[in-house]
Every structure is written in C-alpha cells, then in structure tokens.
Amino acid sequence: MTSWVRALGAVLACAAAAACASGGAGTASLSPEGLTALEAQRAQHPTDPDLNLRLAKAYHAANRFADARAALATVLLQQPGNRVAQAYLGFTYEGLEQFDSARTIYGMLLAGRPSGEVSRLLNGRLALLARKELHANARAALARESELSRTPPDPSTVAVFPFRYTGQDSSLRPLERGLAALVVSDLSHVRSLRLVERERLQALLDEMQLSTSGRVDPATGARSGHLVGAGQVVQGQFQEVPTAGVRLDAAMVRAVDAGVAATGSGRDQLNLLFDVEKSVVFQLLGKMGVPLTPAESLAISERPTRDLQAFLLYSRGLEQEDRGDFGAASASFRAAAQRDPSFQAAAQQAQSSDAAQSAGVGSESNLAAAIGGSGPGGPPAGGTADALTLAINSTVPSGAAIVSGTQTTTELNLPVRNDPVCEAAGCGGPTLPPPLSVGTIIIIINRP
C-alpha cells in the first residue's frame, strides 16, 4: 500500500476523531482567546514547526492570510517536505488572491505523482482556483474599464455570449449556455481566430450582473468585448416556432463601435438543433469573409453528440456549474454521458465538477490530511524544491508553471526575493526569511 493510499485512511481517522494530531479541526475552531494563547506559546518557541503549523491553520480559518503565510514560511524553511504545510500555503495564497503562487504549490504537489483520490482532489482544487481567478480578473477589468475602453481590442479575438432564450418552455433554457459552448468550440477550429473561454466571459457577466435582455444589446457586447480583449462578440437568441421547431438568430458585433458586422439565422425541427447551429456559424464566418480550409470546415461540422437530450443535460450542467452547484452539475454531466457514452465533453466535465465539489471550500483540512498522510514527506526534488522557495517568498512570476530542471533563476532573470509579484490583493504580511535555494525552470505562459 502506497503512502498516498495510507493518507486517505488518515482522512477518515481524522474525521472520526474530530481532530488530527497535527491540529486540523481543533485548531481551526480556536476562539480568539485560544488563538491568543497559542500565539503566546509561539512567542516562547518562535521557530517550533508544530506550533507554527497549528497557528497557520487557525489564521487561515480566521481569514488572516498574511499571518498564515508567515507562519507557514517558518515551517517550510525547517521542513520543506511537510506536505500539509505546503497544502495550507496553497490555500493561503488563494485567500490572498495570489493565484499563480497557489497554482505553483498545487502543481508541485501533483508533480509528486500522487495516485487516485489525492490527484483528483488536487485537480478539483485547481479547477476552483481557476474559477476564483476568473472572477478576480473580471473585477479587476471592471475597475480598469475606462482605461480598457480606450484600447482597441484584437479584431481576431472572439467572445461568445450565452444565447438568450425567448420562448415559453423553461426546460430549454439551459441551452443558452450549451449553444454558446458549442459556438465557442466550433469557432476555435478556425486557426485565424482566438476564442475567449466561455467561463471567462461568464465570470465577467456575473460580475456585471447583466440582465438577460442585455445579452443581445450590441452596446453591451461592445463593452464586454473591450473588457475581455475581444474585437468581435457573438450575441444571439433562440425560441420555439410552430410545429415543434426552433429558430436561432446570431450577430457578430464589433467591439470598437458596437456595429453589427455579420448576422446568421436558421430554423428547423428541434431534433435538428445542431444542424441549425452549424448553419448559423457558417453564415457568420462567410459574411465576415473568414476563409476556411477543408479541415476546418469538417471540424466545425462535427457534432459533440447525436443525442439532443444528452446535450440538454450537458447544458443544464453548465448552468449549474456556473452558479457553483458542482454536485448537481456532476449529476447532470454524468446523466449526459450515460445517455451517450461517446459524449467526451460531458464525461470530462462530470469528473471536473465532482472533484471541485469534493475539494471545495470547507474541505481544506481533509484535503491537507489526504496530501500529508501520517507525517511529513521527503523534501521536494529538483525544480519543485526551488519552485517552493519562490512560492514561499511570493516571487512566482505571473503565469508560471513548474517543470523539472536545473536552469537557475539568474539565467532566466527571475526575481528571488526583491520586488515580489503581487497580484490582485497585493503581497501583505511581514518580510519573510531568505530563500532556501535558487535553481529551477519556470515556464511563462502568456494568457490572453
């Protein structure tokens, strides 16, 4: 039995006992007086790793993230292989909205090749982290709206709004998101275009608290395009028509002037919805003068599923996922995959939603126990050890990813201690101790 499997047993043992020896649930529920007493103990033994880890958990539970980070730095400078401390450092950076640092920690833990449930939970945490980051970025974009509105967006970048349903059958309303996801997928096959992720635009719309009618307002589309850097925005609506049919209308709006650059429309029987959607996409591309290769045309013509009910279930899952109900979303995606086992997107979304539900807020102590097992692990090896150093010191470059290697930060011109990369919430907290080491490879990914 591997240490990672044994770690899962530790989760159950911790839950049964209501508190782990490392100070999990009991520490997290400390009263203000209890926290003060623990701080007094730490003052007598300032470098004690156990005391600092217990304090870090209590600080995290109290949303004192800068204090938690400082305590965890003390632990990890002495015990760099303490996986529980590493996990809580990731949680703490989430609280500080320093998402690249949190992602580095979770990536480092995954680089240790955990098996089964631990890997699933870490990937679920990464999915939740991405969701938090999208909403933080949306808020930041709205705060900079006057600046962004003066910057011409890239005309080859396209964002797709959720389609507005104007009919009477509420069971079809989830198709608002499903159709948008399908259009994003189709347009992503065109090499000359760049697509804004559906989740990124949805996060912006959530922060804007946009009304349903605003989804088809060209002025709103133009505004949103500026905020996400899209020069073109697809907006549309659909409804039932007599004799069990459906009508779909869409427009490509220029963000620079809110002008309509192209339109597309189609109608047919509801069971031919995919044919209608493909027709509208080809109309938009044709009127925009976007050339397509035979391979691109063929890729756009592909259906994610032939089962309309499976697609409706998938669309419902997207709706539930967008509102943070990952348990319901997982059930919907699984039902879609059961109806059509070849519907790969549904199966993948089911796994992602299920992991996000298990690794969500409030599960930190269980996730940390699963990662840490019965005691500290060995120190991180190679590049991951140095990535941990950068994360401890809040110097993870924006958009960084961990790989194994030996190239030094000096060769890559990366900061180690001075001028830390501070993201949306800034880098609060006291000055941290000097770094442990300096060698790693960091890949910088320039996300649009």
Side-chain angles (χ1 to χ4, degrees), residues 27-52:
T27 302
S29 59
L30 280 179
S31 65
E33 294 77 13
L35 182 57
T36 300
L38 191 56
E39 288 174 325
Q41 292 180 50
R42 199 264 303 266
Q44 298 296 318
H45 307 280
T47 61
D48 185 298
D50 292 335
L51 281 173
N52 276 282

Side-chain angles (χ1 to χ4, degrees), residues 148-355:
L148 293 173
S149 65
R150 297 190 298 269
T151 304
D154 179 7
S156 65
T157 299
V158 181
V160 181
F161 267 48
F163 281 69
R164 182 190 179 195
Y165 176 61
T166 60
Q168 301 299 317
D169 185 352
S170 60
S171 68
L172 298 179
R173 193 171 302 280
L175 290 173
E176 293 180 334
R177 285 170 169 80
L179 285 169
L182 192 53
V183 173
V184 169
S185 176
D186 288 346
L187 294 180
S188 68
H189 294 300
V190 183
R191 294 184 61 184
S192 60
L193 300 178
R194 298 177 63 191
L195 273 296
V196 175
E197 298 93 335
R198 188 198 72 85
E199 295 82 1
R200 182 183 174 199
L201 182 60
Q202 186 62 51
L204 176 65
L205 300 181
D206 290 344
E207 294 297 329
M208 292 171 67
Q209 298 182 338
L210 185 67
S211 66
T212 303
S213 61
R215 296 182 195 166
V216 291
D217 180 2
T220 301
R223 178 191 177 198
S224 302
H226 277 283
L227 289 168
V228 295
Q232 311 285 343
V233 178
V234 176
Q235 296 174 292
Q237 58 188 15
F238 68 102
Q239 62 179 354
E240 308 99 327
V241 293
T243 66
V246 63
R247 177 186 175 94
L248 177 64
D249 299 285
M252 186 80 78
V253 176
R254 293 187 300 267
V256 67
D257 61 2
V260 176
T263 60
S265 181
R267 61 179 291 175
D268 212 321
Q269 297 301 303
L270 182 60
N271 63 348
L272 297 177
L273 177 65
F274 299 129
D275 293 339
V276 175
E277 183 270 340
K278 303 299 180 186
S279 173
V280 169
V281 167
F282 280 120
Q283 288 178 54
L284 292 175
L285 292 171
K287 293 178 181 180
M288 290 290 294
V290 178
L292 297 176
T293 67
E296 289 171 341
S297 295
L298 180 62
I300 292 172
S301 299
E302 292 292 329
R303 274 71 169 159
T305 177
R306 296 285 177 177
D307 189 322
L308 183 60
Q309 288 299 319
F311 187 71
L312 183 58
L313 285 165
Y314 173 79
S315 301
R316 186 180 302 161
L318 293 178
E319 184 180 64
Q320 293 161 335
E321 190 176 62
D322 284 344
R323 65 171 182 257
D325 190 349
F326 296 106
S330 177
S332 294
F333 290 135
R334 289 189 187 283
Q338 287 172 358
R339 282 192 62 93
D340 181 1
S342 68
F343 195 176
Q344 296 182 358
Q348 292 169 355
Q349 288 289 128
Q351 292 179 359
S352 176
S353 291
D354 186 55

